[in-house]
Amino acid sequence: MDISDALELARELMDEHGVGDWEFAFDRAKRRAGATNFTARKITLSKALVQLYAPEQVRAVMLHEIAHALVGPRHGHDAEWKRMCVAIGGDGRARLPMDSPEPEAPWVGRCPAGHTAQRYRRPTRQLSCRRCSRSFSPEHLFVWVNRETGERTAPA
């Protein structure tokens, strides 16, 4: 979805459901679609994920976060939150479907057996492949490559 359309949708839904006095912003999250900050009275959406999602997915995430704002910080994803989410037009799900698009992580690690792992931040310590060994194993260390620059790293 286009960022400007998402911003317009967010403000529209916030006004419609009584949290128009809350702040809205986009954040840099890659692993969660939205967040509700009760102290700052602020709802945020992941800019990276919004750009990958269809309008109906963005709408569902906004309604999810608005339901949090309406029921308050002590409810998490409990029955009261779910009732509110459904009442305002959301689906009442605590999580997005597993097949929702995700941004590509810039760092890809490959173990000697060829298994891969992804990281959004540059790895700063040695990591070994969990598929090859349940505990840390120097024989199964990942070598990391940045998709964008080709930089290679094997943290010490």
Side-chain angles (χ1 to χ4, degrees), residues 104-126:
E104 220 174 48
W107 290 95
V108 179
R110 185 173 304 276
C111 80
H115 303 125
T116 61
Q118 298 185 54
R119 296 289 183 269
Y120 290 99
R121 296 185 182 145
R122 186 180 205 274
T124 57
R125 61 185 178 94
Q126 291 183 333

Side-chain angles (χ1 to χ4, degrees), residues 14 19 22-26 35-37 41-45 62 65-66 69:
M14 289 171 74
V19 291
W22 282 49
E23 189 179 341
F24 174 79
F26 291 105
T36 303
N37 182 324
R41 295 176 55 90
K42 182 178 187 177
I43 292 175
T44 62
L45 292 182
M62 267 312 294
E65 299 307 331
I66 289 169

Side-chain angles (χ1 to χ4, degrees), residues 53-79:
Y53 289 171
E56 59 273 5
Q57 287 175 297
V58 175
R59 180 182 186 80
V61 173
M62 267 312 294
L63 291 171
H64 174 117
E65 299 307 331
I66 289 169
H68 281 300
L70 292 171
V71 299
R74 294 196 168 101
H75 292 283
H77 295 119
D78 69 4

